[in-house]
Amino acid sequence: MSLTPQEVQQHFMAYLEATECTVIEKSPEHVTVKLSPQADKMLTNRPYYWNFVERTGAPAETLSFSFVFDPAKYDERLAKQAEAARNTQPGGGQDALLSRYYGNAPVLPVIGPGRIQREDVLYGSRRLSQIWEASREEGRCVYLFEQPDEERRPKTRSAALEQWLGVCFKVEFSCDLKREELHFLAVSLSRRTVAENFEAQLQGRVLTPRLPEYVHVRPGVLSLSQAASILEEHMVQKLSALDYAWADQARIRLEEELAVIDSYYEDLLNEPDEEKKTQISEQYRNRRTEMQWQYEPKISLSAITCGLFHLSSSGNAPS
């Protein structure tokens, strides 16, 4: 799967909220935030600055960003707001007439400590990958308990929580083109049941890192390594059932590119000068290796994050 702008925003906001960044402005297309010290250290690549702050005790000044998740809609909204502002200002009609003949005056960037930088954050962008990498480093594994509903929970006995190992896998399909998918799966340690789209199963549940009162954890029959193997095998089977016509097409394109290279170097490799011939042969091999690396179909499977979730069996329990 790929992510829509709304889903990208949800992923991004989850990290910003978890690291306690200050939201200055938010819309369906963007968010403007002042980074927390934790997020600034992870995202801005300012090791010397933070080393100075920690060494001297100077007050930290974190950076601010406007992260835009749907650039087209965001720019359209800004243009409408600017147009409305011009029309409501005295002389707005005259400004519009002047801009028609002489063009709009360029907007000068705001500089200094209060500068707010704009970044477009789309699926596959460097910044989104950085957020995922930071999440892996800071919270690769979580350990959470569901807070039972006090109204539904029987007062006379302890509520049972079932253990689920959840793993978010990233699948990368690459050749001369590239596509990524995310799959969030979980397996019950007591029932061996595998649940797909596990993120949907967590919606609406109140999770806490501490064991709530009057609950107990149901024993599991699987170890964590056994559960991880079940999820990995499930993903391998899922991937083996996919249509790989794209890989066949990539190999065809590879053969065409190699044929072009072979044709180009065919006469050059007959160079009588041995030194030049050695250089040409090396170039030829390098070009073929580059093409093979670029076009050869590849699939990689990696775990982005994981967690042990203790969930109640009542309500919308995973199945």
Side-chain angles (χ1 to χ4, degrees):
M1 69 176 183
S2 61
L3 298 182
T4 66
Q6 293 75 24
E7 290 170 330
V8 170
Q9 186 173 16
Q10 289 174 3
H11 280 250
F12 218 85
M13 289 303 301
Y15 178 80
L16 297 178
E17 292 169 0
T19 52
E20 300 182 339
C21 297
T22 301
V23 176
I24 300 172
E25 183 183 56
K26 187 174 182 291
S27 77
E29 300 91 26
H30 90 294
V31 63
T32 301
V33 296
K34 183 174 178 60
L35 298 180
S36 65
Q38 178 185 357
D40 194 288
K41 291 177 184 178
M42 294 299 298
L43 303 180
T44 62
N45 191 27
R46 300 195 295 164
Y48 296 111
Y49 172 76
W50 282 107
N51 182 55
F52 167 78
V53 169
E54 293 167 356
R55 183 163 39 85
T56 63
E61 182 62 39
T62 61
L63 299 183
S64 298
F65 288 87
S66 281
F67 296 115
V68 180
F69 309 103
D70 195 332
K73 289 186 178 180
Y74 180 73
D75 290 338
E76 180 182 357
R77 183 165 61 84
L78 288 185
K80 290 181 179 178
Q81 291 175 350
E83 181 67 24
R86 286 196 297 269
N87 291 337
T88 56
Q89 291 177 352
Q94 183 179 0
D95 291 342
L97 183 62
L98 290 174
S99 65
R100 179 177 177 183
Y101 290 98
Y102 299 104
N104 293 322
V107 179
L108 299 179
V110 179
I111 59 176
R115 180 169 66 104
I116 297 179
Q117 306 175 56
R118 168 176 170 170
E119 282 198 19
D120 294 347
V121 182
L122 307 172
Y123 184 68
S125 65
R126 181 193 64 84
R127 184 63 82 181
L128 183 60
S129 299
Q130 188 182 33
I131 286 286
W132 285 341
E133 182 63 30
S135 299
R136 282 198 295 270
E137 291 185 15
E138 296 179 323
R140 188 175 181 87
C141 295
V142 297
Y143 197 79
L144 297 173
F145 301 87
E146 181 178 2
Q147 181 73 49
D149 190 330
E150 291 296 327
E151 296 182 358
R152 296 182 180 181
R153 183 176 63 82
K155 305 297 183 181
T156 57
R157 66 178 185 274
S158 172
L161 297 182
E162 184 176 6
Q163 300 180 78
W164 290 80
L165 176 64
V167 179
C168 184
F169 291 98
K170 182 176 78 170
V171 184
E172 183 177 298
F173 305 90
S174 59
C175 50
D176 54 322
L177 304 173
K178 182 178 178 181
R179 181 167 63 91
E180 294 179 348
E181 295 181 354
L182 295 179
H183 298 264
F184 194 8
L185 311 179
V187 58
S188 166
L189 300 192
S190 57
R191 293 187 287 137
R192 303 174 182 264
T193 304
V194 174
E196 296 199 15
N197 300 320
F198 191 58
E199 69 278 11
Q201 308 282 6
L202 298 178
Q203 292 293 324
R205 296 177 184 266
V206 179
L207 301 175
T208 174
R210 296 183 179 180
L211 180 67
E213 294 182 344
Y214 306 113
V215 301
H216 67 275
V217 177
R218 184 176 298 160
V221 297
L222 294 175
S223 66
L224 290 179
S225 60
Q226 289 173 328
S229 296
I230 289 175
L231 291 179
E232 185 175 347
E233 179 62 27
H234 183 89
M235 279 302 305
V236 170
Q237 293 180 1
K238 189 180 183 72
L239 294 176
S240 65
L242 296 179
D243 182 2
Y244 286 94
W246 64 272
D248 296 332
Q249 295 168 0
R251 291 190 180 95
I252 292 174
R253 294 195 297 275
L254 172 59
E255 293 301 323
E256 292 173 348
E257 292 294 329
L258 292 178
V260 171
I261 294 174
D262 293 343
S263 175
Y264 176 80
Y265 281 95
E266 183 177 5
D267 293 334
L268 296 177
L269 290 172
N270 294 323
E271 168 65 43
D273 186 299
E274 287 299 324
E275 185 176 349
K276 289 184 179 180
K277 184 175 181 179
T278 300
Q279 294 176 351
I280 293 172
S281 297
E282 184 176 356
Q283 293 176 0
Y284 172 61
R285 288 192 298 269
N286 289 341
R287 286 294 294 147
R288 284 184 62 90
T289 300
E290 290 173 5
M291 286 298 103
Q292 289 170 338
W293 179 86
Q294 180 179 352
Y295 282 84
E296 188 66 35
K298 296 175 287 291
I299 301 174
S300 64
L301 176 65
S302 60
I304 298 179
T305 56
C306 65
L308 192 60
F309 300 86
H310 303 78
L311 307 178
S312 63
S313 300
S314 59
N316 57 338
S319 59

